[in-house]
Amino acid sequence: MSTDIHWTENGEPKQARWQSEVGLPPPAKVRVADDHMKADEAFRLVSEGTALLWRGDFHNAKQMLSALTRRVDERAERSARRAANIEMGTKDAFNRHRMMQGQRARTLGLLLLPFNADHSLPLGRAPDVADACTAAYGKVDAPYVASLRELLGVIGAYEWKKRGVEVKALRDKVHPHYGVFAPIRSEYVDLVAKAPMPPHMLPAIAETTAFDIGTGTGILAAILARRGIGTVIATELDPRALACGEENLKRLGVLKGTPPDRAGRVGKVTLEATDMFPDGTADLIVCNPPWLPARPSSRLERAVYDEDGRMLKSFLAGLAAHLKPQGEGWLILSDLAEHLGLRTREELSAAINAGGLTVLGRLDIDPFHPKATESTDRLAAARRAEVTSLWRLGRAG
């Protein structure tokens, strides 16, 4: 989100472009702050909704953010202890957790930094963040203001992009871009890598076609190509994800038009900028939609949260029309939403039936992400019960 932010400094009105990738509006109240401000005063101001535009040392700004984080979390812990005595269901606990996380993000996002038009920081001991900011924001032509918390996220994402995420199923890495879902939880990748191919594809798999709906980093399209499918069409609507998918698929040697890799394999994947399905039909259609039918609090959450499960419903409603007669749709979905009370198994079954589909089989895998074993989290029981499934769907009748 980009618009202008206004403040008064040394008695003069100032303004700059506001930069917020999470989509927050510019704060209405802004106060200039520096190394002399005490953490308690800063906490009082941000708790009241006043943003602090930092003019001091960069490392002191990071220390201030740490101090604010401690105070925000201590306040949240006190609130959680009070809430522990209130009877509430898992769904209410989840909604309260989301509300508290949103409040935390908004409060901590009120510590702001000034940026020059070349993405440099006019602060003492400031690091060189130009490459990371260019990767996230693109080129800019004027100074701007953004939150320190967002900058740290931008830097972290840039390091992930450079370092990459190891994918055992590919024996290689993918490099997620800022704002594109990173395959940290690899169980869904393992399901696609190990699921048996539809029987009708096996005699001549190189002559078959697959669609990967909402490809993101391109990881599932790459898996399908490596498994021998002759034509893979990967769809995506988000421009960042398209750029990310193209870069990864090209580097992995599976993008159509790239030179053969060291094993002599030629690229089989085509990227299409479209919402959901491409034209035509396929032998296999794969989709890993956002797992939780809840409203995302920012644009960066859209890979995990999808209000009312719109992508899931669109996939199930349109799948049958895009499958060849013996084709299969592979829906990769966690049942965490069911354990949180956000969706029932009956609702999922009804959507499958309404789409003219039948369940041919299901492969399950337990998650192995850290939150599945957190014992202090009020929602830990739901996470421990979570199962990720690959639903094999075919045309009914």
Side-chain angles (χ1 to χ4, degrees), residues 35 54 56-70 111 113 121 123 125-127 148-149 151-152 155:
D35 305 333
W54 195 260
D57 178 87
F58 177 80
H59 287 275
N60 288 344
K62 288 181 66 177
Q63 289 180 354
M64 177 63 82
L65 182 61
S66 296
L68 292 175
T69 301
R70 286 194 300 272
L111 183 56
L113 300 181
L121 289 164
L123 303 176
R125 294 196 294 170
L148 172 57
R149 190 169 187 263
L151 173 64
L152 296 179
I155 294 171

Side-chain angles (χ1 to χ4, degrees), residues 101-136:
Q101 288 295 97
Q103 290 176 350
R104 181 180 189 272
R106 286 189 294 273
T107 300
L108 295 177
L110 290 174
L111 183 56
L112 313 180
L113 300 181
F115 291 77
N116 295 320
D118 61 357
H119 293 302
S120 63
L121 289 164
L123 303 176
R125 294 196 294 170
D128 183 353
V129 299
D131 289 342
C133 290
T134 301

Side-chain angles (χ1 to χ4, degrees), residues 87-238:
E87 187 125 354
M88 70 174 72
T90 305
K91 182 177 180 179
D92 290 335
F94 170 76
N95 289 332
R96 184 182 183 281
H97 170 76
R98 291 281 293 153
M99 181 187 70
M100 296 296 291
Q101 288 295 97
Q103 290 176 350
R104 181 180 189 272
R106 286 189 294 273
T107 300
L108 295 177
L110 290 174
L111 183 56
L112 313 180
L113 300 181
F115 291 77
N116 295 320
D118 61 357
H119 293 302
S120 63
L121 289 164
L123 303 176
R125 294 196 294 170
D128 183 353
V129 299
D131 289 342
C133 290
T134 301
Y137 303 147
K139 292 184 178 181
V140 297
D141 56 8
Y144 62 94
V145 171
S147 82
L148 172 57
R149 190 169 187 263
E150 177 164 300
L151 173 64
L152 296 179
V154 164
I155 294 171
Y158 186 63
E159 291 303 313
W160 270 114
K161 180 184 176 184
K162 289 195 298 181
R163 190 166 56 242
V165 178
E166 191 73 38
V167 181
K168 290 183 180 179
L170 285 174
R171 296 182 180 178
D172 212 326
K173 292 181 177 182
V174 295
H175 297 259
H177 290 198
Y178 181 71
V180 180
F181 182 73
I184 307 300
R185 289 186 56 173
S186 60
E187 68 264 21
Y188 75 96
V189 180
D190 293 341
L191 283 170
V192 174
K194 296 175 182 177
M197 285 289 173
H200 81 281
M201 295 176 64
L202 296 177
I205 194 168
E207 299 174 10
T208 60
T209 298
F211 297 162
D212 174 25
I213 309 301
T215 194
T217 60
I219 186 171
L220 296 186
I223 292 286
L224 297 174
R226 289 277 177 88
R227 294 195 64 180
I229 296 173
T231 300
V232 180
I233 300 175
T235 69
E236 184 59 68
L237 200 58
D238 180 69

